[in-house]
Amino acid sequence: MADKARGPRPARVEAPRDEAADIGVEARLAAGILLNAALEGRGGLDSALTFREVSSLEGPDRAFARAVAMAALRRLGEIDQILDRRLQKAPPLAVRTILRVALAQTLVLETPAFAAVSTAVKLAERDPKTRPYKNLVNAVLRGVGRDGPGLTTAESNLPDWLSARWKATWGEAGLVALALAAREEPATDLSVKPDVDPAAVAADVEGEALEGGTVRTGRRGDVATWPGFEDGTWWVQDAAAAVLHPPGPVLEARPGRHVAPTAGADRAALQGFALNVGGDGGG
């Protein structure tokens, strides 16, 4: 997707059509469900992963749906900038969702344009409420593919309050740099069982072994489909969370003081911490 520094980048269009590149309409439908669930709050994206339309998909399709939804969430401001330039008036949310899902594919995941456009039109056709807009969906997406997305700003992906805070703290250049970083999906860290070789796990998940037994991978998608998940070889845990910081100036922990656990803290680790500073580890 275009940004201030790089300028516009047109969507990739390939021919002839490769049926293998089209993962399917159902996966795109699931991506829209995940996207809207995340935007609506409530149970959020994680809860929506249990919805029948999502959970019934095969592993690769489910992973694709999640990848599309995450791409749309991270670039939502830019995607809407592109759409708003081409829409004379706001369409129903269901139609905008179809367009958002399609542009997340072509502009972020670099899905071939023919696959994204074709499935978007099919999605519009299948619902009586969106069927009258199928020509609009086709025209907008083909227009973006033909003309390119135009100039977009990474800051538009951020909430206004966050943009204002970052700009006040780090200035305009810092805001842009942080916004560009925030729109990229971070790597996933895995903690490995003590009797498992981290290098072997790293090879399986296309990652690298870090100090302390953590494996960092840029692999995307449903972790339940990754090698080693089923047999419990590893679990997802940020590298920083996998290391218990020793007592020191960070917390200034001393005997007689209480240390409040943070979200996701491991109880056994906290008990060990308490023992290190002279407590009994009991609470």
Side-chain angles (χ1 to χ4, degrees), residues 11-247:
R12 185 175 66 182
V13 180
E14 297 181 0
R17 176 169 179 161
D18 178 7
E19 294 293 340
D22 186 350
I23 295 183
V25 175
E26 298 301 326
R28 272 76 172 188
L29 174 64
I33 291 172
L34 292 173
L35 171 61
N36 287 336
L39 293 175
E40 291 170 2
R42 302 179 188 176
L45 186 145
D46 287 341
S47 176
L49 287 169
T50 65
F51 292 176
R52 180 186 58 79
E53 296 89 343
V54 182
S55 62
S56 62
L57 294 174
E58 295 294 328
D61 289 4
R62 189 169 60 250
F64 178 79
R66 180 189 177 281
V68 172
M70 292 301 299
L73 284 170
R74 292 183 180 279
R75 307 291 184 93
L76 192 63
E78 293 177 87
I79 288 172
D80 281 347
Q81 283 182 332
I82 296 167
L83 291 177
D84 290 344
R85 286 196 290 262
R86 292 185 171 272
L87 296 170
Q88 294 182 354
K89 61 179 181 179
L93 176 60
V95 176
R96 182 174 284 271
T97 298
I98 292 172
L99 292 168
R100 284 169 166 173
V101 165
L103 289 183
Q105 294 170 65
T106 57
L107 301 179
V108 183
L109 302 181
E110 297 189 346
T111 300
F114 63 76
V117 175
S118 173
T119 50
V121 173
K122 289 178 181 177
L123 275 177
E125 287 178 338
R126 68 188 294 173
D127 187 337
K129 294 181 180 179
T130 57
R131 192 172 299 143
Y133 297 89
K134 68 176 185 179
N135 290 336
L136 173 68
V137 168
N138 184 63
V140 168
L141 296 178
R142 289 191 180 278
V144 174
R146 180 185 63 249
D147 304 330
L151 187 65
T152 61
T153 57
E155 309 94 282
S156 65
N157 301 316
L158 304 174
D160 291 340
W161 65 267
L162 185 58
S163 291
R165 179 175 297 179
W166 282 359
K167 184 175 181 179
T169 304
W170 290 290
E172 180 69 25
L175 168 62
V176 173
L178 287 168
L180 287 171
R183 70 182 192 176
E184 303 299 332
E185 186 172 356
T188 299
D189 290 344
L190 309 176
S191 286
V192 179
K193 291 173 63 175
D195 59 344
V196 175
D197 181 10
V201 173
D204 288 341
V205 298
E206 305 161 30
E208 61 174 328
L210 307 179
E211 292 185 10
T214 293
V215 172
R216 176 163 294 168
T217 175
R219 192 167 182 162
R220 303 289 184 256
D222 186 355
V223 297
T225 65
W226 296 2
F229 176 85
E230 289 292 340
D231 55 14
T233 300
W234 49 260
W235 59 94
V236 176
Q237 184 178 33
D238 187 82
V243 178
L244 179 65
H245 292 285

